[in-house]
Amino acid sequence: MTTPNTESPSTQGPRIAALFPGQGSHAVGMGVDLTQHFPHAEEVYATKEATLPGLRELVEVGPFDELTLTANQQPALVAASVAAYRAWQAHTGLTPMVAAGHSLGEYSALVAAGVLPLEDALRLTRRRGELMQQAVPEGVGAMSAVMGDPAVVIQVCQDTAGIVQPANFNAPTQTVISGEKAAVETASAALKARGLKVIPLKVSAPFHCQLMQPAAEGLVGDLQATTYGPYAFPVVANVTAELSDDPKHTADLLDRQITGSVRWVETIQTLAGLGVDTFIEFGPGTVLTGLLKRILPEARAINVGTAQHIKEFEL
């Protein structure tokens, strides 16, 4: 594994980390204005349509409920994020020193780093979404956001019968738990009794927990059959919160990610430890920017999701 160049910004320019959002950041019409102003974005959307016919129209006009379906939302978000990134890079001539993506966003990060061809990322995330939705019958699983000490959340999950585990360590005091509905409800009651705030989430499946094992097993063959290119820059993996730049490990990291926790707080800390001075969230929404401000309040965060963002971009 190599280490990104961390020489002085005065000689190397801005130390940029590219961040890519996961599920929940989608919107009808996302990325469309980018395609109207930047050829690189239009090329991404044309590739999306050629790879998954019908998805472009769904993104452009909806309906929202159909776009929200996991199998549609995942590749649609990858395309929107990659379109923003490629348009920004072509317009500014800048390249990040490192990247990271939240859950699904790791696929976008790998495309940006040149590791994963866009067509393969679209196919894999369509299949990933299908398998995740099929893994658990509707009503069997649940997820909740917990506000409070993550150590308490971990302990309560361990003490609760059934399957319930931390799925996302999103911020120092925000952890999402996932698992069997009854176990999540039991853990939630115990967490509330300890003074923590718990918010049930409206989700289509209990992501990032052991219940997703059938999805991991279903996708591993596709991941292993995919050809991964060299990393133009490292990507911090969700399941390890460590730099990854060896294509031999990419399939395994993506497979483990399906059932493993998204270690986002540690991921941002890893990026900060490299000397990153600018964090850019590529794609729709501002979810990651909001989380970043809770992890590193003084961090410089920029959103790039629209044509105006790119045209007005300054460092």
Side-chain angles (χ1 to χ4, degrees):
M1 179 181 298
T2 59
T3 301
N5 194 319
T6 56
E7 293 182 27
S8 168
S10 63
T11 59
Q12 294 294 316
R15 295 166 171 164
I16 297 171
L19 305 180
F20 297 90
Q23 284 190 228
S25 294
H26 65 296
V28 172
M30 60 184 180
V32 173
D33 71 321
L34 291 168
T35 68
Q36 296 168 346
H37 293 86
F38 299 102
H40 288 78
E42 169 56 31
E43 183 179 338
V44 170
Y45 271 52
T47 298
K48 173 176 67 176
E49 183 59 24
T51 306
L52 301 175
L55 186 58
R56 179 167 188 166
E57 182 178 2
L58 180 59
V59 169
E60 292 178 348
V61 301
F64 180 75
D65 288 348
E66 188 174 346
L67 178 61
T68 300
L69 295 175
T70 304
N72 292 327
Q73 186 182 162
Q74 293 199 15
L77 275 167
V78 167
S81 296
V82 172
Y85 173 79
R86 289 186 175 173
W88 167 84
Q89 188 177 46
H91 185 74
T92 65
L94 296 169
T95 298
M97 62 180 284
V98 64
H102 190 285
S103 186
L104 163 72
E106 191 165 337
Y107 285 81
S108 304
L110 290 168
V111 174
V115 184
L116 188 59
L118 176 61
E119 295 89 339
D120 289 338
L122 294 170
R123 294 189 191 98
L124 285 170
T125 52
R126 165 59 62 84
R127 182 64 177 148
R128 181 180 185 265
E130 292 171 343
L131 289 166
M132 292 173 107
Q133 193 62 64
Q134 296 166 4
V136 183
E138 188 174 352
V140 171
M143 299 181 75
S144 290
V146 184
M147 309 305 170
D149 186 350
V152 175
V153 178
I154 294 170
Q155 188 61 57
V156 168
C157 287
Q158 291 174 345
D159 293 342
T160 301
I163 296 175
V164 57
Q165 62 193 83
N168 304 58
F169 293 97
N170 283 335
T173 57
Q174 186 198 99
T175 305
V176 175
I177 60 174
S178 178
E180 296 168 329
K181 184 177 181 180
V184 170
E185 290 174 347
T186 299
S188 296
L191 289 163
K192 290 178 182 178
R194 297 193 183 200
L196 279 67
K197 183 178 180 180
V198 181
I199 304 172
L201 301 178
K202 291 185 65 176
V203 293
S204 57
F207 303 119
H208 297 290
C209 75
Q210 295 173 37
L211 294 179
M212 287 289 112
Q213 187 59 36
E217 293 173 354
L219 190 62
V220 66
D222 297 281
L223 291 171
Q224 292 176 345
T226 299
T227 299
Y228 303 95
Y231 283 69
F233 45 80
V235 173
V236 180
N238 279 196
V239 294
T240 63
E242 296 176 351
L243 289 176
S244 175
D245 65 0
D246 188 342
K248 295 195 298 291
H249 302 308
T250 304
D252 178 61
L253 290 169
L254 291 174
D255 185 53
R256 291 165 55 195
Q257 183 215 67
I258 296 176
T259 57
S261 301
V262 176
R263 298 165 62 177
W264 194 247
V265 173
E266 291 173 87
T267 292
I268 295 300
Q269 292 169 343
T270 295
L271 296 173
L274 294 171
V276 168
D277 56 33
T278 304
F279 297 80
I280 304 178
E281 179 176 4
F282 291 97
T286 59
V287 171
L288 299 186
T289 300
L291 293 179
L292 176 67
K293 288 300 186 180
R294 296 172 65 180
I295 301 168
L296 297 175
E298 303 304 318
R300 184 183 192 191
I302 301 173
N303 291 96
V304 172
T306 67
Q308 184 176 359
H309 288 158
I310 294 175
K311 291 177 179 179
E312 297 178 351
F313 184 87
E314 291 183 0
L315 284 178

